[in-house]
Amino acid sequence: MAVDSTEGARELHQQLRGPVDMSRYEARDRDFAELAVPVLLSRTLTAEQCRAAHWRDDEQLPTTSEELRDLLLGYGYMAGRLDLAVRIALEDLGGDLPNRRWAVFSRAGWHWRVLLGHWGDRRGCPRSA
């Protein structure tokens, strides 16, 4: 039996770790809703894009933009769906980027808040979900 699987070990680990500050996760979810959801709702997503964004195989794909919006806001931040939003924004913006080095997806992904905010400014999108 592994040491960390005992009840005492779990309690000790929880005590040593201390309380978890959830504010950064809440901010990330809020930013995702405000910045990424409008990008994802800006076009009809293909089944291939949905699968690439890590929709579960047993999860029914949304058929309307309202269903998609509710699904995205219900789950909050998910890395695969954020990646899809960044790819869409890069495609839409072309060379009109806040930083030209962000034309590479791996770099743009690190700066998703600025990139998606820039996308929204260019599209005239309000910043609330």
Side-chain angles (χ1 to χ4, degrees), residues 37 41 62 64-74 128-129:
V37 170
L41 293 174
T64 66
S65 60
E66 292 80 22
E67 287 179 4
L68 177 60
R69 182 180 185 281
D70 291 346
L71 181 75
L72 292 169
L73 294 176
S128 62

Side-chain angles (χ1 to χ4, degrees), residues 74-93:
Y75 278 110
Y77 171 91
M78 292 183 78
R81 294 171 189 182
L82 176 63
D83 289 351
L84 179 56
V86 168
R87 290 182 191 282
I88 290 170
L90 285 173
E91 182 181 315
D92 286 354
L93 291 170

Side-chain angles (χ1 to χ4, degrees), residues 40-41 43-47 50 55 59-72:
L40 294 168
L41 293 174
R43 63 178 64 185
T44 303
L45 301 178
T46 66
C50 291
W55 254 274
E59 184 177 37
Q60 182 177 356
L61 297 177
T63 57
T64 66
S65 60
E66 292 80 22
E67 287 179 4
L68 177 60
R69 182 180 185 281
D70 291 346
L71 181 75
L72 292 169

Side-chain angles (χ1 to χ4, degrees), residues 31-43 88-89 92-93 113-129:
D31 291 346
F32 178 82
E34 184 176 300
L35 300 168
V37 170
V39 175
L40 294 168
L41 293 174
S42 70
R43 63 178 64 185
I88 290 170
D92 286 354
L93 291 170
R113 288 175 173 92
V114 175
L115 178 72
L116 299 180
H118 182 73
W119 178 93
D121 292 345
R122 293 296 186 254
R123 300 278 300 243
C125 294
R127 291 221 179 178
S128 62

